[in-house]
Amino acid sequence: MIDSALIYSFFTYYIVLAIILRSLTSSFYNKRLVNSLTLFAPLLILIIPFSGLPIVYYLRGATGDLSVITVILLSGVITGKFYKFEILNKNSADYFYITVFVIGSIFYITSLGYGQFDPYGLAFESLLIPFGLLACAVLLIWKKQYGLALLLIVPVIAYESGLLESNNIWDYVLDPFLWVYAAIRVFRYANGIIKK
């Protein structure tokens, strides 16, 4: 039987390595070489066996599965390099990362035992959060914010199909790497406002 979570992890780290390689080789003059390295080198790196297991197993063990939203955003980075396509424009990206930072701050603080409310515990096999995300996505589509709507719809579909091993929708929506990146973006955004 095919392990969907392992395929998801392989795809995730393929994208991460492709972004890293693209950044490292961006100064090369031979664009065909850059594109070939970006597309094929991550595949070779991930399947290289180390102590009997492919490297992707060790990466997954070290970081866990990244959220579906993080993988979509990373996919947007790599497709943007090839096709000049962006999931979020500047304004919607600012609002998105501010929202992720605020929700993630509340989420991680309460998950550490501060306060009586535990949003992670409430989301096990819950229908409330998926329906809330879909309702927000419908509102975003009505406001013509299709990239933001995509970031809410795809994790719900992945959650309902059981793509990851987790049965908690928070694992499909948020991860520490996304929250840290959002925090960096928010502090830069706030710093820019203060300097103005």
Side-chain angles (χ1 to χ4, degrees):
M1 184 175 167
I2 296 173
D3 184 356
S4 62
L6 183 59
I7 292 170
Y8 175 82
S9 291
F10 185 88
F11 178 71
T12 299
Y13 294 111
Y14 175 86
I15 293 169
V16 170
L17 289 173
I19 291 169
I20 292 169
L21 286 170
R22 183 77 179 197
S23 298
L24 293 175
T25 59
S26 62
S27 61
F28 289 11
Y29 292 109
N30 188 336
K31 295 301 177 191
R32 184 174 287 177
L33 176 63
V34 170
N35 291 342
S36 297
L37 283 172
T38 302
L39 292 173
F40 299 113
L43 180 65
L44 295 174
I45 292 168
L46 290 173
I47 62 172
I48 292 171
F50 182 76
S51 295
L53 290 173
I55 289 177
V56 69
Y57 281 86
Y58 296 100
L59 291 171
R60 186 179 183 208
T63 64
D65 289 321
L66 299 181
S67 69
V68 173
I69 290 179
T70 300
V71 174
I72 293 170
L73 292 170
L74 289 171
S75 300
V77 170
I78 199 68
T79 55
K81 301 287 186 189
F82 286 105
Y83 304 109
K84 305 300 180 203
F85 168 79
E86 60 181 19
I87 294 172
L88 299 175
N89 60 37
K90 173 78 170 77
N91 288 336
S92 61
D94 289 339
Y95 292 127
F96 171 75
Y97 287 114
I98 289 169
T99 304
V100 168
F101 174 69
V102 170
I103 291 172
S105 297
I106 294 167
F107 178 80
Y108 288 119
I109 288 169
T110 56
S111 293
L112 292 172
Y114 297 101
Q116 300 298 317
F117 180 64
D118 180 15
Y120 189 80
L122 292 175
F124 280 104
E125 299 181 3
S126 168
L127 292 177
L128 181 64
I129 295 173
F131 279 122
L133 292 172
L134 290 176
C136 290
V138 168
L139 180 63
L140 289 167
I141 290 169
W142 181 61
K143 292 286 190 180
K144 296 185 168 70
Q145 295 290 329
Y146 303 115
L148 287 171
L150 177 77
L151 291 176
L152 298 182
I153 292 171
V154 174
V156 173
I157 294 169
Y159 171 70
E160 292 299 329
S161 64
L163 178 66
L164 303 179
E165 293 173 348
S166 174
N167 61 352
N168 191 311
I169 195 164
W170 282 119
D171 294 324
Y172 292 77
V173 174
L174 185 65
D175 63 67
F177 298 102
L178 178 60
W179 180 76
V180 168
Y181 181 73
I184 292 167
R185 291 277 302 244
V186 167
F187 287 124
R188 283 184 182 167
Y189 178 73
N191 193 27
I193 291 174
I194 290 168
K195 285 183 178 178
K196 287 180 182 177

